[in-house]
Amino acid sequence: MNTSDDRTTPALDRRDWFKRGGLFAAGLGAASALALPARSFAASMSTQSDVDMLNVALGLEYQAIAAYQVGAESGLLQKPVLAVAVEFQGQHKAHAGILEATISKLGGTPVAAMKPAGYHFPTDKLKNQADVLRFAAGLERGAASAYLGTVPQFHNRALAKAAASILGDETMHWAILLNALGENPVPAAFIA
């Protein structure tokens, strides 16, 4: 992973994210949708907008990777729950890898990851497994909502399709975490 000083991670405030577009990441099944043809000069403005949204998404994927690392290292997760957390983290790493490659392919420069402390996670409030699960569920819910907001904003429809495909992954993460908490895994008919 390149961490040169000329790249910065965008602000990771969720409200900012909804303003700029949602979280994009591509699952392995959607990776083929990212094989983009060369784009014309006339499309450069829309390409830059897509790259900007992808970089915000990449920053949020890094945030998710760091959050799952904090949870895994907390010592608060039982072995089966820890295994699921590590699997979810691996999926976020796959998303980040696809995002990095796509940003580069579109002529952009991927943002760099921050150290976990840079995200200012509420680690002082993580006292037990339920706290860690609730924290992760909140992040996954936010990611699902962000994907929902992103899909119509991409100029490149292949990117929109890939963002829509990952919405299902984030929603499954959220549902599984809610279920592990003993809560209704599908608390509403719609994601807001």
Side-chain angles (χ1 to χ4, degrees):
M1 177 185 321
N2 185 348
T3 57
S4 67
D5 294 333
D6 61 318
R7 300 182 297 162
T8 59
T9 301
L12 296 176
D13 181 273
R14 291 279 180 203
R15 288 176 294 204
D16 235 14
W17 177 238
F18 285 114
K19 289 178 190 171
R20 292 192 67 190
L23 179 61
F24 165 84
L28 295 176
S32 62
L34 298 176
L36 305 173
R39 309 238 0 216
S40 70
F41 179 74
S44 65
M45 293 296 285
S46 60
T47 298
Q48 185 57 50
S49 175
D50 286 351
V51 166
D52 291 345
M53 284 191 292
L54 292 171
N55 260 320
V56 172
L58 179 56
L60 290 173
E61 286 297 338
Y62 290 148
Q63 181 184 36
I65 292 164
Y68 277 106
Q69 191 64 40
V70 166
E73 293 175 352
S74 70
L76 299 171
L77 300 179
Q78 296 171 1
K79 195 172 184 173
V81 174
L82 176 60
V84 171
V86 169
E87 183 176 345
F88 287 177
Q89 182 190 45
Q91 292 172 357
H92 286 289
K93 287 178 180 179
H95 301 161
I98 292 295
L99 284 165
E100 290 167 350
T102 302
I103 291 165
S104 295
K105 186 170 190 164
L106 291 173
T109 301
V111 297
M114 294 190 302
K115 294 183 185 285
Y119 296 104
H120 306 290
F121 295 133
T123 54
D124 59 322
K125 296 181 181 179
L126 303 179
K127 306 288 185 202
N128 55 47
Q129 178 169 282
D131 292 341
V132 175
L133 293 174
R134 196 162 280 107
F135 169 62
L139 290 175
E140 296 290 4
R141 179 183 183 193
S145 294
Y147 281 118
L148 186 62
T150 296
V151 172
Q153 294 187 33
F154 278 109
H155 295 280
N156 181 303
R157 300 321 298 161
L159 296 176
K161 181 179 177 181
S165 74
I166 201 63
L167 170 62
D169 186 55
E170 300 299 345
T171 305
M172 286 187 287
H173 289 181
W174 178 32
I176 289 168
L177 292 166
L178 289 177
N179 189 61
L181 283 163
E183 297 178 15
N184 182 354
V186 185
F190 301 95
I191 296 173

